[in-house]
Amino acid sequence: MSNLRPRLCLLEKGSSGYGFHLHGEKGKTGQFIRLVESDTPASAAGLRAGDRLMFVNGESVEGESHQQVVARIRATTGALELIVADAETADLLEKHNLQCRKEFVTEGIPLPGGDSDSDRGDAQSNGTPSECTPAGRENGDASSERLERLSLSSSTKEERSGPRPRLCQLKKGSSGYGFNLHSEKNKPGQFIRAVDEDSPAQRAGLKPHDKICQVNGMSVIGLQHSDVVAAIKAGGDETRLLVVDAETEEFFKRCNVLPTEDHVTGNTHTHTHTYTNTPNN
């Protein structure tokens, strides 16, 4: 069991907001705390610059876009509950290919084979491998809303040549979608076990052994089998599945990036967001 662990931060919104700045980092997946203002709910809760956001109000946000995370925070009623990991803890999770779980806050991070924190010396650097290096251009914009100031900047980048996830649009037939979902031993995630001949799944391009990353735009990485099934059923007679084959999954792991629908066309986005309020005049 590791001594490192994610932290739970509870924030009550103050007169000037929460007092932290959220942003995405180039070449790294996830949303990060860029700045924590002094004497704010964020600083009082123990939030630190550089922390990576793992959960918002009990929901994993590791695979979500900046806009999705912002929407979750804005929808908060009462105290805002954030689970975050500092750089060292996030690196440990990535090194052992572990998905952050809420119980790690109190129980610590279980390491395979009884490893301890001391073997972190052979962990890969945070640098992005050369074949994963994105190229793009920077764009910036700013907007203001009543009672809230938003500091936004965005960049669009294209991944160099490499495998991409696939977006499969399925419409339920008389016999359902025509695929079987299952878990694989010693491998996290939900996989396609079989695809029926001449079924909606086959026509949509779904293949055996594909791993499901998103259902209807929502990340399902780290979710249990029953949760993924429920997400598919929630779509009614249609569902949209973002999947990766084994080669694509390995490529994105090397890049330290979680696949999203943006990667289907090669476009990704990073943003910054400031959680402060504009004082009343």
Side-chain angles (χ1 to χ4, degrees), residues 24-46:
E25 294 187 0
K26 245 185 169 183
K28 295 176 72 173
T29 185
Q31 299 298 312
F32 297 81
I33 306 301
R34 181 168 61 87
L35 176 69
V36 176
E37 299 172 0
S38 59
D39 299 322
T40 61
S43 64

Side-chain angles (χ1 to χ4, degrees), residues 160-264:
R160 288 184 181 175
S161 177
R164 295 176 181 176
R166 306 190 319 278
L167 189 60
C168 301
Q169 307 264 6
L170 288 74
K171 189 168 184 178
K172 190 180 288 185
S174 57
S175 300
Y177 289 123
F179 70 90
N180 298 80
L181 186 66
H182 78 133
S183 306
E184 293 189 1
K185 201 173 182 181
N186 300 322
K187 289 183 70 177
Q190 299 298 315
F191 297 81
I192 305 301
R193 180 164 60 87
V195 176
D196 297 341
E197 287 286 334
D198 196 29
S199 64
Q202 186 185 59
R203 290 190 291 272
L206 216 53
K207 301 173 184 175
H209 309 299
D210 280 343
K211 180 177 180 177
I212 298 183
C213 299
Q214 291 185 354
V215 175
N216 298 324
M218 181 188 77
S219 172
V220 295
I221 295 175
L223 296 188
Q224 300 297 319
H225 177 85
S226 58
D227 295 327
V228 177
V229 171
I232 293 172
K233 286 182 176 179
D237 290 336
E238 296 186 15
T239 193
R240 189 172 81 250
L241 304 180
L242 184 75
V243 299
V244 291
D245 57 24
E247 179 188 6
T248 305
E249 182 183 14
E250 184 58 34
F251 174 78
F252 275 83
K253 279 183 181 177
R254 290 202 310 271
C255 295
N256 281 332
V257 172
L258 290 175
T260 67
E261 291 186 8
D262 288 331
H263 292 106
V264 174

